[in-house]
Amino acid sequence: MEGFFRVWPIDRVLELVSLCDPVETEEVPIEAALNRVLAEDVLAEEDLPGFRRATMDGFAVQASATFGATEANPAYLNLIGSVAMGEVPTISVGAGEAVRISTGGMLPQGADAVIMVEYAEMIDDVLMEVYRSVAPGQNVMMPDEDFRKGEPLVSAGRRLRPQEIGTLAAFGKGAVRVYRKPRVAIVSTGDEVVPIDCRPAPGQIRDVNTYTLAGFVEGTGGMVSRFGLVPDRFDRLLERCLQALDEADMVMLSGGSSVGMRDLTIDVLEAVPESRILLHGIAISPGKPTILATCGSKLIWGLPGQVTSAMVVFLKIVRPFLERLCGLDASSVVRRTVEAVLTRNVASVQGRTDFIRVRLRKETNGWMADPVLGKSGLIHTMMRADGLVEIGMNTEGLEEGARVTVEWFD
């Protein structure tokens, strides 16, 4: 066994993300592609919008005919017609002429600008006054101003937001190739853990981790396979672990990762054929007794049983591995952060990275971060918190008034 409870710094653990390869790809209709990860670059097959179009309601003109126009000295133009939405104009605009046009309409030949309707007034059915000059190209979108034929629309490894879906739709993409959703198996262990529909006896607790971890997995882009509760029995846990490995791309065992007489995770993982334990222990708090093993190309995590520890370990350690499985390009992953002022002293221990839960509140001079302190078994410390503050390995705590970066919970 390699590195039994020899803690690794968090940076070294995250370097292991390279062990993961994204899962296979599949083609899905665009209406089912929201929040999926694109598996191939998509290029523009044509210019967009493909024609010169008005960006304002008004009149298509030759810009030179309006030069010098003011309210005191307006330019006079002849209205020679109008362009209906969606039609190709059959008239041309000459010097001193104008054509009525709506936002999105196609500019007629000869016109190179649009005068906003607010700056023009009809004198009679034909003659109009213009009170402001326009420059060539003003209030006009050029044929390739949005996208040019051959340029990238969306790059592989990007999660498809509504913005990207709309762009793909603009080019008639009815289906796209995405990475399939990786399946993550969750197994909860411990004789003291009971299903949520049971009333715990003295010394027992309900299974919280299955539900919180499942929510994090689905929020990251994975699919969850719940393998239920397993008692602290070697044969039962090994059997369930083998089933999970057979069905899933990643396995998370919740509980049984600390050093104790009845914690069997290490023994079980060593018994899994072709397994290799990479680490047991990360220099973080909460979450030190975390295990990572491989079985072929699949990862197996042994997460702490304490609910806060399990959640923090997922967010700071497991999530980047799952994002890699999802096919996400790491450069496109942006964590939402905010700068805030710490409202009280927070102690820390050198040699480990501490993650402090904080609650944010907005004051007139900026954000304030109130530490939410408590033991790793207290669920309310995560529920009351808005995000995490990282205290580095070589820092002996933070003082009241320190400026900190808070990573929001998604």
Side-chain angles (χ1 to χ4, degrees):
M1 175 171 45
E2 179 178 322
F4 178 75
F5 228 79
R6 295 176 185 172
V7 295
W8 287 35
I10 187 171
D11 292 345
R12 186 180 172 200
V13 176
L14 294 176
E15 289 174 0
L16 298 177
V17 169
S18 61
L19 292 174
C20 297
D21 290 321
V23 294
E24 300 86 0
T25 66
E26 61 184 1
E27 190 171 82
V28 299
I30 193 172
E31 56 266 27
L34 185 64
N35 292 326
R36 301 295 295 274
V37 179
L38 193 64
E40 59 186 11
D41 294 340
V42 179
L43 305 180
E45 297 178 353
E46 57 193 0
D47 291 338
L48 193 72
F51 59 92
R52 295 182 309 154
R53 62 187 302 186
T55 61
M56 297 286 180
D57 290 343
F59 302 91
V61 299
Q62 291 185 2
S64 59
T66 70
F67 291 167
T70 64
E71 290 188 12
N73 185 32
Y76 293 90
L77 304 177
N78 290 320
L79 184 65
I80 62 172
S82 62
V83 177
M85 289 295 294
E87 79 168 12
V88 177
T90 57
I91 53 179
S92 297
V93 175
E97 295 178 336
V99 170
R100 190 183 301 275
I101 194 168
S102 300
T103 302
M106 184 176 182
L107 256 68
Q109 289 293 321
D112 60 4
V114 172
I115 298 170
M116 294 174 61
V117 67
E118 295 91 328
Y119 303 129
E121 184 174 341
M122 298 303 302
I123 297 175
D124 56 33
D125 292 342
V126 176
L127 188 63
M128 60 186 294
E129 290 182 326
V130 174
Y131 303 117
R132 182 171 294 187
S133 64
V134 289
Q138 190 168 341
N139 301 324
V140 175
M141 184 181 295
M142 295 300 155
D144 60 355
E145 190 169 335
D146 206 351
F147 288 97
R148 183 173 299 170
K149 182 178 180 179
E151 77 171 288
L153 292 181
V154 191
S155 299
R158 289 287 301 272
R159 195 181 295 280
L160 296 175
R161 306 170 298 171
Q163 299 93 308
E164 283 78 28
I165 297 293
T167 300
L168 294 169
F171 284 87
K173 300 290 185 182
V176 290
R177 181 154 293 279
V178 297
Y179 291 99
R180 68 170 176 83
K181 291 186 176 183
R183 186 170 292 279
V184 179
I186 299 176
V187 181
S188 287
T189 68
D191 289 338
E192 78 282 10
V193 184
V194 299
I196 63 171
D197 57 356
C198 294
R199 179 174 293 278
Q204 295 181 328
I205 57 172
R206 291 189 176 96
D207 177 20
V208 174
N209 285 348
T210 289
Y211 297 89
T212 54
L213 293 173
F216 284 138
V217 168
E218 291 172 351
T220 305
M223 297 176 64
V224 175
S225 292
R226 293 174 172 85
F227 279 78
L229 296 170
V230 183
D232 289 325
R233 304 290 185 274
F234 177 87
D235 56 342
R236 295 281 299 277
L237 184 54
L238 177 60
E239 178 186 13
R240 198 66 59 88
C241 187
L242 292 174
Q243 292 174 350
L245 283 167
D246 187 55
E247 297 184 20
D249 303 293
M250 177 189 287
V251 177
M252 291 193 295
L253 306 178
S254 170
S257 61
S258 62
V259 180
M261 291 181 62
R262 302 190 66 191
D263 293 327
L264 303 175
T265 302
I266 286 286
D267 294 335
V268 167
L269 294 183
E270 287 184 318
V272 172
E274 301 181 13
S275 68
R276 180 188 174 205
I277 296 175
L278 299 180
L279 65 92
H280 183 197
I282 304 176
I284 61 172
S285 176
K288 176 182 177 181
T290 298
I291 302 168
L292 174 58
T294 59
C295 179
S297 62
K298 298 183 179 183
L299 298 182
I300 313 171
W301 293 94
L303 302 185
Q306 297 282 30
V307 291
T308 298
S309 297
M311 287 190 271
V312 171
V313 169
F314 181 92
L315 290 171
K316 301 307 299 184
I317 305 294
V318 180
R319 182 168 57 174
F321 288 81
L322 181 54
E323 288 170 339
R324 172 72 173 168
L325 282 182
C326 290
L328 274 170
D329 184 339
S331 65
S332 72
V333 177
V334 179
R335 307 290 185 215
R336 191 162 64 103
T337 62
V338 64
E339 299 298 312
V341 176
L342 201 63
T343 60
R344 58 163 291 174
N345 295 340
V346 178
S348 181
V349 176
Q350 283 191 325
R352 75 183 187 195
T353 301
D354 281 359
F355 291 100
I356 305 301
R357 285 85 75 195
V358 298
R359 186 165 192 164
L360 288 164
R361 52 188 172 87
K362 189 70 176 289
E363 300 288 350
T364 55
N365 58 342
W367 289 98
M368 310 299 288
D370 300 322
V372 181
L373 304 179
K375 299 179 176 67
S376 59
L378 298 176
I379 304 172
H380 79 267
T381 63
M382 286 294 281
M383 197 178 76
R384 288 175 52 205
D386 297 305
L388 298 173
V389 171
E390 178 177 333
I391 304 179
M393 292 184 66
N394 301 316
T395 303
E396 291 184 346
L398 297 172
E399 295 184 351
E400 177 184 347
R403 295 199 64 82
V404 295
T405 300
V406 181
E407 182 178 320
W408 289 89
F409 296 139
D410 292 333

